[in-house]
Amino acid sequence: MSSFDRIAHDHILSQIGAFPARGMIREWLRAGVVENGRLHRTEEGTPQGGVVSPVLLNVALHGMEMAAGVRYYPTGTQAGRVVMGCPVLIRYADDLVALCHTRQEAIDVKARLAGWLAPRGLAFNEDKTRVVTLDEGFDFLGFNVRRYGNKPLIKPSKAAVRRIRERLRTEFWSLRGANAEAVIKRLNPIIRGWAAYYRTQVSAETFGKLDQYLWELTYKWATFSHANRRTSWVVARYFAKFNKARQDRWVFGDRRSGAFMHKFSWTNIVRHQMVTGAASPDDPALTEYWARRRRKSDLPVNRTARRLHRAQDGRCAICKVMLLPVEDRPQTPHEWEHWLATTRKTIDVIWDHGTPDTAEPRLIHVRCQTSSGTALQPAKQPSGLA
């Protein structure tokens, strides 16, 4: 679907009903878009990338599950689970996948959804819409879902791997002539962000292959930068056990600053935990559930910071305020890249050197670190956290 561009304004307004800000939303829809100094009218659709566009799309597509024939048990021990024999529909923005029991059921679901989308000014993009078996597999949100034998596995898709390889190659090409520290500073957020997004599924093998490709790129960059030097000199200068926490002598680093390049495989695989029932982040009654869920989830940071984050219940050892925002974690590799880069600038690990016997690290906000040496609260394992 090309939902953002084609969505019907009248349907959105009818879905909103008597919502207090209905008039403002109507004006938003018809305000137009200024791009490169030119005004483009918006007689239909909503600008893709606009702040309010995802919300309006969710309003317009509300009820899609019911239209597809999805039903849930309302009460009992199975409450919140899909009724046996029903299809399952997963949607993210205007991308969706319907999981059915037979090919005919999939065709019927597609036909029902096509009729349901028409009044909303929407239609399936036939070039991107397929009916496949689980043995053939399909790509969704950068992942490939496919059954191998009797076991369904979710892995990074070939297209996603191809894109990250292309980006790494392009970045190294643009950094020819730069020093090692600049290369590490540019590449680390990209590597960490991509690994953080794909760490919830079967990605260990892909991480290993990308590490090999990354080594080839760093070696090629190093030999190009010192074309008149012997290979042994280049290797000794740029590859060593820069990461003291790992017994790996093939880590690319900068001997002057001590900085080193992260590896994809250093990001631990952490399985996604299913959301309880129909719990929604927008339900005020479930605020504590979502806060606890986010605190318990392992962050893709180094081991020390991760351990301290758990021990301190996610709070700064000085001001006791949450170290990181409580909203949802990033949803794409690019968002993870920026989130991790920002996090490294806002929190830091420092040591409380009260006495040689009690010296231990603390995780704090960078802004809370003062020259006066504010008293640190002891780190302890909080109750209620795994």
Side-chain angles (χ1 to χ4, degrees), residues 236-348:
R237 179 182 176 90
Y238 290 108
F239 296 94
K241 292 182 181 179
F242 287 103
N243 187 348
K244 304 304 181 184
R246 296 182 179 273
Q247 297 300 315
D248 186 351
R249 60 99 57 228
W250 290 104
V251 177
F252 179 83
D254 177 38
R255 293 192 178 278
R256 184 182 62 81
S257 65
F260 56 85
M261 186 171 292
H262 191 79
K263 290 191 175 184
F264 289 93
S265 58
W266 291 351
T267 300
N268 295 329
I269 302 298
V270 180
R271 297 292 178 233
H272 171 72
Q273 296 297 316
M274 296 294 289
V275 174
T276 302
S280 169
D282 299 321
D283 186 348
L286 297 176
T287 300
E288 179 55 33
Y289 165 77
W290 286 101
R292 183 172 64 252
R293 179 183 170 88
R294 290 167 187 135
R295 286 198 301 268
K296 291 179 67 174
S297 61
D298 280 335
L299 299 173
V301 293
N302 62 57
R303 295 177 181 177
T304 301
R306 186 163 57 244
R307 176 178 63 81
L308 293 174
H309 188 266
R310 280 187 173 185
Q312 296 172 200
D313 198 17
R315 299 180 182 276
C316 175
I318 295 177
C319 69
K320 310 306 291 180
V321 174
M322 299 302 294
L323 285 160
L324 299 170
V326 296
E327 65 265 14
D328 285 336
R329 298 292 182 237
Q331 300 295 316
T332 67
H334 188 67
E335 289 180 5
W336 269 112
E337 179 182 330
H338 285 278
W339 186 89
L340 289 167
T342 302
T343 299
R344 292 173 67 85
K345 296 177 183 178
T346 56
I347 64 174
D348 193 16

Side-chain angles (χ1 to χ4, degrees), residues 5 25 42 129 136 150 156 186 203 262 265 323 326 330 366-367:
D5 298 332
I25 294 174
T42 50
T129 305
E136 296 174 280
N150 294 322
R186 176 84 65 85
S203 305
H262 191 79
S265 58
L323 285 160
V326 296
V366 172
R367 66 173 183 268

Side-chain angles (χ1 to χ4, degrees), residues 55-330:
V55 176
L56 296 177
L57 184 64
N58 283 336
V59 170
L61 297 182
H62 180 67
M64 178 178 280
E65 275 191 313
M66 186 174 292
V70 183
R71 298 292 182 271
Y72 295 93
Y73 289 107
T75 59
T77 58
Q78 298 292 320
R81 292 181 177 271
V82 178
V83 173
M84 187 71 68
C86 287
V88 174
L89 186 138
I90 302 97
R91 180 178 66 84
Y92 183 85
D94 58 348
D95 292 323
L96 66 92
V97 57
L99 304 177
C100 307
H101 297 85
T102 65
R103 178 177 289 273
Q104 185 57 49
E105 183 183 29
I107 294 173
D108 292 342
V109 168
K110 179 186 175 185
R112 287 200 298 270
L113 288 178
W116 184 82
L117 290 168
R120 293 156 175 78
L122 305 175
F124 284 114
N125 184 336
E126 295 298 338
D127 294 335
K128 296 181 179 180
T129 305
R130 298 188 303 143
V131 177
V132 298
T133 65
L134 196 53
D135 291 327
E136 296 174 280
F138 60 90
D139 290 351
F140 186 61
L141 302 180
F143 292 95
N144 177 261
V145 183
R146 182 181 174 187
R147 182 168 56 202
Y148 296 82
N150 294 322
K151 191 172 185 179
L153 298 178
I154 304 177
K155 303 179 179 182
S157 68
K158 291 182 179 179
V161 174
R162 185 166 56 249
R163 287 194 297 269
I164 187 62
R165 286 170 62 98
E166 174 63 27
R167 185 175 182 190
L168 292 173
R169 184 167 60 250
T170 301
E171 292 290 352
F172 270 101
W173 180 268
S174 68
L175 287 165
R176 287 191 171 187
N179 58 30
E181 188 175 4
V183 172
I184 294 166
K185 185 177 181 180
R186 176 84 65 85
L187 271 297
N188 268 353
I190 298 173
I191 297 168
R192 290 176 181 270
W194 199 91
Y197 179 73
Y198 288 98
R199 68 189 176 127
T200 59
Q201 305 302 330
V202 185
S203 305
E205 182 179 353
T206 301
F207 286 174
K209 290 180 178 179
L210 286 174
D211 281 340
Q212 174 61 30
Y213 183 66
L214 191 63
W215 183 89
E216 293 171 4
L217 291 176
T218 53
Y219 179 77
K220 185 180 293 185
W221 175 90
T223 53
F224 176 86
S225 299
H226 303 279
N228 297 325
R229 293 284 189 172
R230 299 180 61 177
T231 300
S232 57
W233 184 92
V234 173
V235 170
R237 179 182 176 90
Y238 290 108
F239 296 94
K241 292 182 181 179
F242 287 103
N243 187 348
K244 304 304 181 184
R246 296 182 179 273
Q247 297 300 315
D248 186 351
R249 60 99 57 228
W250 290 104
V251 177
F252 179 83
D254 177 38
R255 293 192 178 278
R256 184 182 62 81
S257 65
F260 56 85
M261 186 171 292
H262 191 79
K263 290 191 175 184
F264 289 93
S265 58
W266 291 351
T267 300
N268 295 329
I269 302 298
V270 180
R271 297 292 178 233
H272 171 72
Q273 296 297 316
M274 296 294 289
V275 174
T276 302
S280 169
D282 299 321
D283 186 348
L286 297 176
T287 300
E288 179 55 33
Y289 165 77
W290 286 101
R292 183 172 64 252
R293 179 183 170 88
R294 290 167 187 135
R295 286 198 301 268
K296 291 179 67 174
S297 61
D298 280 335
L299 299 173
V301 293
N302 62 57
R303 295 177 181 177
T304 301
R306 186 163 57 244
R307 176 178 63 81
L308 293 174
H309 188 266
R310 280 187 173 185
Q312 296 172 200
D313 198 17
R315 299 180 182 276
C316 175
I318 295 177
C319 69
K320 310 306 291 180
V321 174
M322 299 302 294
L323 285 160
L324 299 170
V326 296
E327 65 265 14
D328 285 336
R329 298 292 182 237

